């Protein structure tokens, strides 16, 4: 069989003069079994030559190697393998989008949680308190107090109907003091506060008690 | 990832990574933001027209304050606001040093920081702020033994409750309320096995009365009577609201005192049942109209 296969290989490989090739083909034609082998080999060669060559995926070798049977590792080994084994990542859009969303969520949560840790306004989970002031002639009204470290531009009230200015602020339970800042200059005590406390400088701050 | 098994592990892995990283990331983000605020304040100092040694003075004081435990955002606000208000390098540094010294003495610093930030924001002259803050700092030093004495003998509070009590007593001392009056409240709370929060509220009520024009002896008598009768924190708040409502109707302080005593004799002034006058109950976020024309208020 080895000898006959050698004849077939010689014919299909080419590289011989026509007379020698003719002689070998005659030998093949004379032997039915040899002819079958020759035909099947020739068809296979033709298919290889004329067929579409599909490109192998980048992970082809990796996939093949992983399909080879091997000893099943323990849990530790599997975790170690998952974490440290070299791999070729083939992302699809859904996986990539999911990963991006998780990463974005992590960044958003981290940044939101980090916003102004010492401002009660931003800590969340508090009680919504609505504060208003009747000031029909005012151009701008803000509220400054212990909840925003007396910033005069952090909490600006919105002008509503009938000259009322209003703002809703989320606050954690506790006692706060505050004053209104009208038109960026005049500090005005809330005339309807439930209590007042000296500000230490000769004025009275309104007291706001937020309870759960 | 080409295999389902790997993909099934991917999301739990990323989720676990996120859950583990979040608690770590958030404080770092906060610290980063606070650090950012301090960086902004540094930049403001660098870009100011102050002389180089003045800039150095402020920045050194800021670093010292932060190192002592003053929150970075408070230090940044004092620096930025001090520059905006023209407080001067020496005065701004002194504010920061005052806060740092309080922290180094393990005293609460929030009240002093608030007073500095508030004063600068309101445009109070820096010299006046400095005077107020120095006096307040002295009151904090004097308040601590009073609170510690009460805690040793009776109700112990958490760290924050103790600090709050010290600040409350300091504000009472600021209004010239005698030590004895405060100490007696401490004894009453101890006898009733009350909390340090109740002690703080009682002292705060006394301070509020005095701050609204009541004589210290009248304020002491009313609050001591209330404590003898076992008034709660809420009852004490009711007393404060009663006074505010009466004063809003232009009643003389003397009438407010006698009216309050009469009601207490009758068993009133408890739990918000005695509220009278123009403004109705206005719990935070309770809705409704909290103010009539010409007045502000909370709704």
């Amino acid at each position: 069989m080895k000898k006959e296969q050698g004849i077939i290989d010689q014919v299909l490989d080419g590289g011989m003069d026509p007379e020698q090739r003719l002689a070998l083909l005659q030998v093949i034609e004379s032997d039915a079994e040899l002819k079958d082998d020759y035909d099947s080999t020739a068809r296979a060669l033709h298919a290889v030559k004329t067929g579409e060559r599909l490109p192998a995926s980048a992970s082809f070798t990796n996939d093949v190697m992983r399909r080879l049977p091997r000893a099943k590792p323990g849990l530790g080994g599997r975790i170690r393998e998952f974490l440290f084994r070299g791999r070729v990542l083939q992302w699809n859009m859904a996986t990539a989008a999911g990963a991006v969303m998780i990463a974005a969520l992590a960044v958003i949560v981290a940044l939101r949680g980090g916003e102004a840790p010492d401002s009660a306004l931003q800590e969340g989970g508090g009680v919504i308190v609505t504060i208003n002031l009747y000031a029909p002639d005012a151009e701008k009204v803000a509220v400054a107090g212990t909840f925003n470290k007396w910033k005069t531009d952090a909490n600006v009230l919105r002008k509503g109907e009938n000259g009322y200015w209003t703002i809703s602020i989320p606050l954690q339970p506790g006692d706060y003091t505050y004053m209104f800042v009208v038109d960026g200059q005049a500090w005005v005590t809330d005339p309807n506060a439930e209590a007042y406390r000296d500000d230490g400088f000769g004025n009275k701050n309104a007291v706001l008690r937020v309870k759960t | 990832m080409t295999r389902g098994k790997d993909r099934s592990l991917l999301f739990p892995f990323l989720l676990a990574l996120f859950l583990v990283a979040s608690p770590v990331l958030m404080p770092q983000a906060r610290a980063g933001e606070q650090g950012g605020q301090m960086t902004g304040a540094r930049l403001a100092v660098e870009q100011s027209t102050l002389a180089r040694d003045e800039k150095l003075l402020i920045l050194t004081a800021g670093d010292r304050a932060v190192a002592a435990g003053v929150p970075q955002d408070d230090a940044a606000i004092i620096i930025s606001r001090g520059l905006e208000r023209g407080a001067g390098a020496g005065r701004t540094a002194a504010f920061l040093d005052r806060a740092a010294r309080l922290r180094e003495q393990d005293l609460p610093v929030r009240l002093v920081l608030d007073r500095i930030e508030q004063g600068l924001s309101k445009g109070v002259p820096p010299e006046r702020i400095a005077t107020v803050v120095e006096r307040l700092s002295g009151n904090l030093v004097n308040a601590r033994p009073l609170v510690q004495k009460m805690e040793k003998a009776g109700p112990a509070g958490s760290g924050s409750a103790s600090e709050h009590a010290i600040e409350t007593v300091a504000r009472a001392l600021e209004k010239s309320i005698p030590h004895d009056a405060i100490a007696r409240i401490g004894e009453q709370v101890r006898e009733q096995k009350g909390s340090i929060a109740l002690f703080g509220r009682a002292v705060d009520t006394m301070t509020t009365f005095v701050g609204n024009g009541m004589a210290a002896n009248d304020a002491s008598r009313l609050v001591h009577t209330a404590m003898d009768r076992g008034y709660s924190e809420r009852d004490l708040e009711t007393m404060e609201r009663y006074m505010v409502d009466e004063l809003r109707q232009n009643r003389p302080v003397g009438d407010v005192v006698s009216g309050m005593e009469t009601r207490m004799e009758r068993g009133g002034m408890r739990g918000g049942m005695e509220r009278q006058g123009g403004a109705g109950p206005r719990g935070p976020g309770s809705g409704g109209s909290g103010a009539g024309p010409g007045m502000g208020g909370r709704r």
Side-chain angles (χ1 to χ4, degrees):
Chain A
M1 183 66 192
K2 222 172 188 179
K3 182 183 175 189
E4 287 80 359
Q5 187 62 46
I7 292 170
I8 293 171
D9 289 347
Q10 282 180 43
V11 173
L12 293 175
D13 285 349
M16 61 182 64
D17 58 57
E19 289 179 9
Q20 194 178 2
R21 176 180 166 81
L22 186 61
L24 286 175
L25 283 173
Q26 285 173 349
V27 172
I28 290 170
E29 284 294 329
S30 63
D31 185 332
E33 187 180 353
L34 193 58
K35 186 171 187 310
D36 284 347
D37 287 345
Y38 174 79
D39 288 343
S40 61
T41 306
R43 279 196 300 274
L45 189 62
H46 177 75
V48 168
K49 283 181 178 176
T50 59
E52 185 185 2
R53 293 180 72 94
L54 296 173
S57 69
S59 61
F60 179 78
T61 305
N62 197 35
D63 291 344
V64 170
M65 293 304 290
R66 286 175 53 206
R67 291 185 186 210
L68 294 175
R70 56 184 160 171
K72 191 175 180 181
L75 179 62
R78 275 186 289 165
I79 292 173
R80 191 166 50 251
E81 184 186 18
F82 172 75
L83 292 174
F84 299 110
R85 172 169 46 80
R87 66 185 72 223
V88 177
L89 295 178
Q90 287 187 330
W91 291 89
N92 56 46
M93 286 308 293
T95 307
V100 168
M101 282 175 64
I102 289 175
L105 186 66
V107 170
I108 288 168
V109 169
L111 290 180
R112 284 177 68 89
E115 279 177 8
D118 297 307
S119 169
L121 287 177
Q122 305 292 333
E123 290 184 0
V127 176
I128 302 294
V129 177
T130 300
I131 302 173
N132 65 24
L133 177 72
Y134 181 72
D137 298 327
E139 295 291 322
K140 180 184 177 185
V141 177
V143 61
T146 48
F147 46 77
N148 63 11
K149 297 189 187 294
W150 299 97
K151 291 174 185 164
T152 57
D153 54 358
N155 296 99
V156 178
L157 280 70
R158 186 168 38 82
K159 191 172 189 178
E161 295 176 2
N162 303 324
Y164 278 96
W165 294 76
T166 307
I167 190 171
S168 294
I169 307 172
L171 293 174
Q172 295 293 326
D175 286 6
Y176 302 91
T177 55
Y178 67 94
M179 283 184 85
F180 294 114
V181 187
V182 177
D183 294 337
Q185 291 185 333
W187 287 79
V188 177
T189 304
D190 186 342
N192 261 9
E194 64 180 271
Y196 297 95
R197 190 177 284 174
D198 279 2
D199 69 353
F201 303 113
N203 290 311
K204 288 200 185 304
N205 291 324
V207 175
L208 175 60
R209 293 188 171 121
V210 179
K211 301 189 183 306
T212 51
Chain B
M1 202 68 61
T2 56
R3 296 195 54 180
K5 192 188 287 181
D6 271 359
R7 194 169 295 166
S8 69
L9 282 171
L10 178 64
F11 280 109
F13 177 71
L14 289 175
L15 188 62
L17 195 65
F18 166 68
L19 291 174
V20 168
S22 292
V24 177
L25 284 175
M26 279 190 268
Q28 286 182 344
R30 287 195 189 101
E33 179 166 330
Q34 289 195 0
Q37 289 173 331
M38 199 60 189
T39 304
R42 283 179 192 282
L43 200 60
V45 171
E46 293 293 346
Q47 292 175 345
S48 71
T49 56
L50 292 172
R52 190 178 170 188
D53 58 338
E54 289 178 319
K55 292 177 182 177
L56 191 63
L57 183 66
I58 292 179
L59 294 176
T60 305
D63 287 341
R64 184 187 162 205
V66 170
V70 174
Q72 289 196 26
D73 64 333
D74 287 294
I77 284 173
I78 290 170
I79 291 172
S80 303
R81 212 168 278 172
L83 289 173
E84 286 170 16
R85 301 288 179 177
R91 191 65 76 188
T92 303
F95 290 152
L96 293 163
D97 282 343
R98 181 70 264 176
R101 283 203 299 278
L102 286 173
R103 287 312 305 159
E104 286 163 1
Q105 291 174 271
D106 202 23
L107 281 163
V109 74
R110 175 52 50 201
L111 186 60
V112 161
L113 291 173
D114 177 72
R115 202 62 67 89
I116 296 168
E117 291 164 2
Q118 181 182 176
L120 289 171
S121 188
K122 288 182 174 176
V124 176
E127 302 75 26
R128 178 116 187 269
I129 298 173
T131 303
V132 167
V133 164
E134 283 305 312
R135 194 169 60 233
L136 195 55
S137 299
N139 289 334
L140 284 165
V141 172
N142 293 331
R144 179 157 60 183
L146 271 170
V147 174
Q148 286 178 332
K149 184 180 176 186
M150 194 196 73
E151 285 183 318
K152 277 180 189 171
S158 64
S160 63
S162 296
E163 291 201 340
H164 184 67
I166 290 170
E167 291 182 328
T168 303
V169 171
R171 283 196 303 104
L173 296 174
E174 187 180 36
K175 298 303 295 181
S176 301
I177 293 174
H179 277 73
D180 291 349
I182 299 168
R184 186 172 167 200
I185 291 177
E187 289 167 10
Q188 290 175 305
V189 170
R190 192 178 63 230
E191 286 166 7
Q192 295 172 15
K193 300 189 188 323
S195 66
I196 197 159
L198 176 62
F199 168 77
R201 173 55 64 207
V203 174
D204 196 35
T205 298
M206 195 184 285
T207 308
T208 298
F209 285 170
V210 174
N212 282 282
M214 194 182 285
N217 61 334
D218 285 337
S220 301
R221 189 176 67 254
L222 285 169
V223 172
H224 291 152
T225 302
M227 297 304 291
D228 280 341
R229 296 182 180 190
Y231 275 36
S232 67
E233 292 177 57
R234 191 178 171 196
D235 298 332
L236 291 163
E237 287 175 9
T238 301
M239 291 173 72
E240 289 182 44
R241 281 201 302 272
Y242 173 84
M243 182 177 191
V244 168
D245 287 345
E246 293 294 297
L247 292 177
R248 194 173 276 135
Q249 294 176 55
N250 296 318
R251 297 231 158 80
V253 174
D255 289 357
V256 175
V257 173
S258 57
M260 210 180 288
E261 284 180 323
T262 302
R263 282 168 171 77
M264 291 172 77
E265 283 293 328
R266 292 177 186 163
M269 305 300 304
R270 311 293 292 261
M273 300 303 290
E274 287 290 316
R275 188 177 174 82
Q276 297 179 354
R282 301 180 304 277
S286 60
S289 174
M295 305 174 79
R298 293 185 296 110
R299 293 194 282 189

